[in-house]
């Protein structure tokens, strides 16, 4: 009985960081809680994914994908059906070209419209960069720690444009590298 209790407790702790990844049958969207009313992860693709966002109280979705225009259109329509505001702010793998990172970070912190969910396609590379920058700017993380944490979770570590942007942004903000 004690072993069962210990195992159950460890499962609760493991799931708490991802907001209950498998709350309902068919639930595949792994949602992470960043701060206050800010959530992040991969692109929602099914009605079950959108229902999960709604249960969390998400009122805004920010899609940072660049090349998934048709998927973004479908996502916008699904979100509208549930009364969730949708905004697409494209951020490619070379964010210096689009210059949208400050806009995205500002959208995350404008809490006037309620909880927000932001995502790229997989929720790892571009979103990982945004999470790392957020942690530095709002949690006071040391840049190298934020960078290392992001890289440990990143899918494609060859995306050097994201790395360069990270260090340029951090250097511009605090003259650290």
């Amino acid at each position: 009985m004690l072993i069962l209790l210990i195992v159950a407790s460890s499962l609760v702790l493991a799931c708490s960081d991802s907001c209950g990844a498998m709350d309902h049958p068919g639930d595949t969207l792994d949602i992470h809680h960043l701060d206050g009313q800010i959530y992040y992860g991969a692109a929602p693709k099914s009605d079950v994914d959108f229902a999960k966002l709604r249960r969390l109280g998400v009122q805004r979705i920010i899609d940072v994908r660049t090349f998934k225009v048709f998927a973004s259109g479908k996502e916008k329509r699904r979100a509208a059906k549930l009364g969730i505001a949708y905004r697409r702010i494209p951020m490619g793998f070379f964010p210096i070209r689009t210059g949208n990172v400050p806009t995205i970070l500002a959208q995350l912190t404008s809490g006037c419209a309620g909880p927000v969910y932001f995502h790229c396609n997989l929720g790892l590379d571009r979103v990982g960069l945004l999470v790392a920058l957020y942690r530095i700017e709002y949690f006071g993380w040391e840049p190298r720690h934020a960078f290392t944490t992001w890289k440990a979770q990143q899918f494609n570590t060859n995306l050097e444009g994201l790395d360069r942007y990270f260090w340029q942004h951090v250097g511009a903000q605090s003259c650290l590298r």
Side-chain angles (χ1 to χ4, degrees):
M1 184 67 155
L2 181 59
I3 292 173
L4 183 59
L5 183 60
I6 292 170
V7 169
S9 298
S10 64
L11 287 174
V12 168
L13 288 174
C15 291
S16 66
D17 190 39
S18 62
C19 300
M22 302 297 173
D23 287 339
H24 297 310
D27 190 350
T28 60
L29 187 63
D30 195 14
I31 299 174
H32 303 278
H33 185 226
L34 180 60
D35 188 20
Q37 298 185 17
I38 303 172
Y39 299 92
Y40 68 96
K45 293 181 173 67
S46 69
D47 289 336
V48 174
D49 293 344
F50 282 90
K52 182 174 184 176
L53 292 171
R54 198 69 196 124
R55 282 192 310 277
L56 286 172
V58 169
Q59 296 177 10
R60 298 179 294 142
I61 294 174
I62 298 173
D63 178 357
V64 303
R65 295 177 294 181
T66 303
F67 302 111
K68 299 277 187 172
V69 178
F70 294 113
S72 294
K74 189 175 183 179
E75 180 179 330
K76 182 178 183 177
R77 289 187 297 278
R78 276 183 157 158
K81 285 181 184 178
L82 293 172
I84 300 173
Y86 172 89
R87 181 158 182 205
R88 182 173 173 263
I89 309 173
M91 182 185 106
F93 295 111
F94 295 93
I96 195 75
R97 292 181 188 165
T98 59
N100 287 338
V101 171
T103 303
I104 296 166
L105 290 174
Q107 285 293 309
L108 296 180
T109 58
S110 68
C112 59
V116 62
Y117 179 74
F118 70 103
H119 71 83
C120 55
N121 198 45
L122 299 175
L124 299 171
D125 302 313
R126 290 166 285 182
V127 162
L129 168 67
L130 293 165
V131 168
L133 294 174
Y134 186 93
R135 286 173 169 161
I136 292 166
E137 292 181 24
Y138 296 97
F139 294 158
W141 280 33
E142 193 274 321
R144 288 203 185 280
H145 178 61
F147 184 81
T148 303
T149 302
W150 165 40
K151 288 299 178 173
Q153 300 166 345
Q154 189 180 11
F155 170 70
N156 187 347
T157 57
N158 294 320
L159 298 172
E160 294 176 6
L162 296 176
D163 296 358
R164 276 193 297 277
Y165 185 87
F166 176 88
W167 290 114
Q168 288 171 350
H169 185 82
V170 168
Q173 295 297 317
S174 63
C175 299
L176 292 174
R177 182 158 187 205

